[in-house]
Amino acid sequence: MRGVWVSLFLLWAFPVVATPVISEFMAANETTLADEDGDFSDWIEISNSADQPLDLAGYYLTDNSQVLNRWVFPSVILDPGEWLVVFASGKDRDLGELHTDFKLSAGGEYLALVLPDGMTVVTDFGERYPPQFEDVGYGVGEFGIGYLDVSSPGSANGTGRLPGPLFLEYRNGGDRPAVAETLDVTAIVSGAEDVTLFYRVGFGPEEAVAMNSVDGSNYSVTIPGGAVRDVIRWRFVAQDIDGRITKEPPFANPLDSHQYYGVPVANPDAESLAEVFEWFINGNDYARLTSFQKVRAGLYYLGEFYDNVEFGPRGQSTLFFDKKGFNIDFNKTQRFRWKEGEPRVRDINLVTNWGDKAKVRNEMAYEILRESGVPTHFAFSVRVQRNGQFFGSADLVEDADDIYLDRAGLDRDGTLYKAVNTSLRLEDIGNTNIVRKMTREEEGLEDLDALIAGINQDGSARWDYIFDQVDLPTTINTLAGLVVIMQTDMGAKNYYLYHDTEGDGRWSILPWDLDLTFGRDFTSRAGYFDRNLFTEGFTEFSESFNTSVLVEELLRGNPRTREMFFRRLRTLSDRFIASEYIPERTQEQLARLSPASIFPGDALRDSFLWGTWYDADPVPKVWNTTHPDAETMERASDRINLEWLPMRRIEIYSNTPDLPDSLESPEIRIGALDFDPISDDQDQEYVELINQSPTAVDVSGWLVDGAVKITLPSGAVIPSGDSLFLSPDVVAFQSRDLSPSGSEQRFVIGPYSGHLAAEGETLELYDAEGVLRDSHTYSGASKGFNGDSRQDLDGDGIKAILEWALGSSDRAYNALPAPVGGHFTYSVQSNLNGFSVHMETSLDLQDWQRNQVNELSRVTGEDGFDRVTVDLPHSDSICFVRLMLERE
């Protein structure tokens, strides 16, 4: 059948006068051209073929035919014969390197260059340019408009080939047909001579059928239906009058693209309250997969079919279970949608839960950590169908890559390491086998080697490094969270190291592999298959050569960080251990996998198929054995709630001496601030929070508002009598010329938004419940404690508030003048910026009385200090005097 052929040459709009044109673009830039951030963003090349310079100011680029004035050019002069590359990255930059506020679709979409009137299209590629391929440019050359043989951003285009017919619309999924119900497949194609549909029912042979059209653009065909366990797959091939062919899907790379669209036949037997993960794999490939080889298969999830997906074996101990887990890698052409509204991911792990009879540990462990504020994976249980038949329940867990970092609130440009076998000791430097890089894989391990060297320094240098280079809130939060879920399997492995490479440069520990939690442990007695529920210990990480040096130091090497850890442990224990959270959560999981409304439920079906294991005996046993080790999901859940949880509460609250008591009224005050750094670098300003409570205070979720704004991150804990410094730029804080600064073991968090105004402003401190805990208005009238920081007048290397306030040493024995005739004279700042001086007297250095003196005179000097003379009590005997500075 002959169709109506439409030449793609007609899609090029030639200008009447000299104007710029889109000469090339790339919508699947993987390795061709990096932008200034090192990202391989899509790009659009603009050229000026006129004989005079052209100012692009006011021209537009758009990917929407209904919004022609989407992204506007700044003033950029394009000389005759010059090319300009604009990155279509979504970053929206009009200074320096240009970036549009939209990205390009490799599947095809509208793209146009528009005159400054916002209405006249200079260049477009019709309603939609054809599908694009990895690192292949599309543009104009002597051959016409099409795919370039060699991409040439910023220079003249060479040879290329014209595209074939263009698929504008087509069926790529849709409703699931009933058993034996035929399937109508349609497509709208431009420029086709004929269109052929190739389809497969189940794992049968591929069949070809010509699609019908009455107008040369709308094509349709009806294909046979399938059986209850079948998936129906199809692909399109269109050919134009000159023999050029277009495939849909293009299937350009068999190792990284999908070949078919598809939809499974409806399966009423797959009734579940969990999400259903439907997997389609032929018998030979399944045999290869379970023999530890990678294979390709299809799957259907949340209404979408994924074709030619790579499945591979996963795990260490679990690799040898009968019921295995798998790594699943999706093609670049079709990433995985794990949840509606969430960004798609490249890879997932389908983790076996055969070792967890309660079938809740992975999901609940990751959930508790996420709710604690730890940047960790999504994980949840699904029902798995293989070729339409029940395969088991499994845990769908996110893989580790830059997409995970971004979703979890971290910088996707950071470096993520998975610990394979490292305790971060000096002997690990230079060993490439101790970790696996999950991001920035092209780089070496120099930053990791620097971390290892830094945390293994001697003396105070080690702690200078840790306080400057380790993200204490995130790491403390992770470690406390792992104790709450009782992770028993983190030593030299089973953790991530994250380096905020492009940000503040700090490191943090993040969790992975959480199946051995809530009482389960890998023991020398029974290996993985120990039915005992352990409750003792694991309230801090064991002292051993297998434990990370960083963990050892944070928990046992410094009283400040140890105090932080145990206060955060108290907070999380109160929320998750002392409450009904775990019983309620296990009951929710039980209701999903073993509901009363469905019999048999997923959990029971799983035991039908895979059996159960006995203590110290991993050989599967039949599901209906009467052996006491053969626990149902119900019994295993009860054991967590009735055996493990009560004893774990005793272990944490009664047998952990360093666990602090609850603190009803924490005393956190706004202390020093520097609104006018001596360097004139406003990023070096700071605000200090002081803990005046008798124990550490967990300030996670507290808010500083007003002059600047920051919500304190999860895991932020201020030790008793200690300070937390807030900064707009942590790196800038560490480079301050005056104390407080880097290499001083300061606890610093940032960035906050805004800056402190020199004329004075108000700061307010709210706790996590929104209760106002402190407010401070600084005048900005003079520097000092609210200005250039504390002073070091006596040269002892310690900058202190009293030195600033009194103009004398805060440490020297004779810093203050001796009393004369029962009178005592001292100097004090005329403007204390919201602070006041109080005098206390004593006869025995034990019983001190406040404000028992009479002020006789106060004289203000030109140096900014008042000379104050007071009449001391007990003038006939010895009288000890001390001055105290307090904020009003």
Side-chain angles (χ1 to χ4, degrees), residues 781-838:
S782 63
K783 297 182 180 182
F785 192 50
N786 288 314
D788 269 343
S789 172
R790 308 167 187 182
Q791 299 183 27
D792 183 13
L793 297 176
D794 55 12
D796 63 357
I798 300 178
K799 299 172 174 63
I801 181 175
L802 279 174
E803 294 190 26
W804 163 76
L806 302 179
S808 59
S809 172
D810 64 328
R811 296 173 63 83
Y813 175 75
N814 59 350
L816 299 176
V820 176
H823 296 164
F824 175 65
T825 300
Y826 64 94
S827 297
V828 63
Q829 288 272 3
S830 301
N831 184 353
L832 286 171
N833 282 340
F835 287 80
S836 59
V837 171
H838 298 276

Side-chain angles (χ1 to χ4, degrees), residues 130-160:
Q132 300 296 302
F133 306 101
E134 181 179 322
D135 289 322
V136 175
Y138 191 89
V140 59
E142 293 184 0
F143 66 93
I145 303 171
Y147 302 104
L148 298 170
D149 293 334
V150 178
S151 181
S152 55
S155 61
N157 296 336
T159 59

Side-chain angles (χ1 to χ4, degrees), residues 830-855:
S830 301
N831 184 353
L832 286 171
N833 282 340
F835 287 80
S836 59
V837 171
H838 298 276
M839 182 174 293
E840 294 186 347
T841 59
S842 174
L843 297 177
D844 54 9
L845 294 178
Q846 295 184 11
D847 182 22
W848 291 90
Q849 301 295 319
R850 173 177 282 205
N851 297 334
Q852 298 296 308
V853 299
N854 295 317
E855 184 174 310

Side-chain angles (χ1 to χ4, degrees), residues 636-648:
S637 298
D638 285 345
R639 291 195 66 202
I640 291 176
N641 297 323
L642 303 178
E643 296 180 35
W644 178 79
L645 185 57
M647 297 305 296
R648 189 60 178 165

Side-chain angles (χ1 to χ4, degrees), residues 68-88:
L68 294 180
N69 60 344
R70 171 148 191 187
W71 184 85
V72 63
F73 276 92
S75 179
V76 178
I77 303 300
L78 204 58
D79 290 329
E82 187 178 7
W83 294 267
L84 172 70
V85 171
V86 180
F87 285 97

Side-chain angles (χ1 to χ4, degrees), residues 39 103 338 341-346 375-378 398-416 438-439 498 500 510:
D39 298 328
K103 299 179 181 181
W338 65 277
E342 291 287 342
R344 292 176 179 256
V345 298
R346 295 187 189 93
T376 193
H377 297 310
F378 63 72
E398 184 177 18
D399 202 10
D401 56 18
D402 58 336
I403 298 176
Y404 147 63
L405 294 178
D406 188 53
R407 187 200 55 77
L410 301 171
D411 185 355
R412 68 184 304 154
D413 293 326
T415 310
L416 187 66
M438 313 307 292
T439 62
Y498 169 70
D500 189 10
L510 301 174

Side-chain angles (χ1 to χ4, degrees), residues 179-180 201 225-231 265-266:
V179 174
V201 177
V228 68
R229 296 184 177 93
D230 284 337
V231 60
V265 174

Side-chain angles (χ1 to χ4, degrees), residues 185 195-199 207-211 221 223 234-236:
V185 182
V195 179
T196 302
L197 185 80
F198 294 84
Y199 71 93
E207 304 284 349
V209 59
M211 299 189 73
V221 71
I223 60 176
W234 63 90
R235 62 186 179 91
F236 305 92

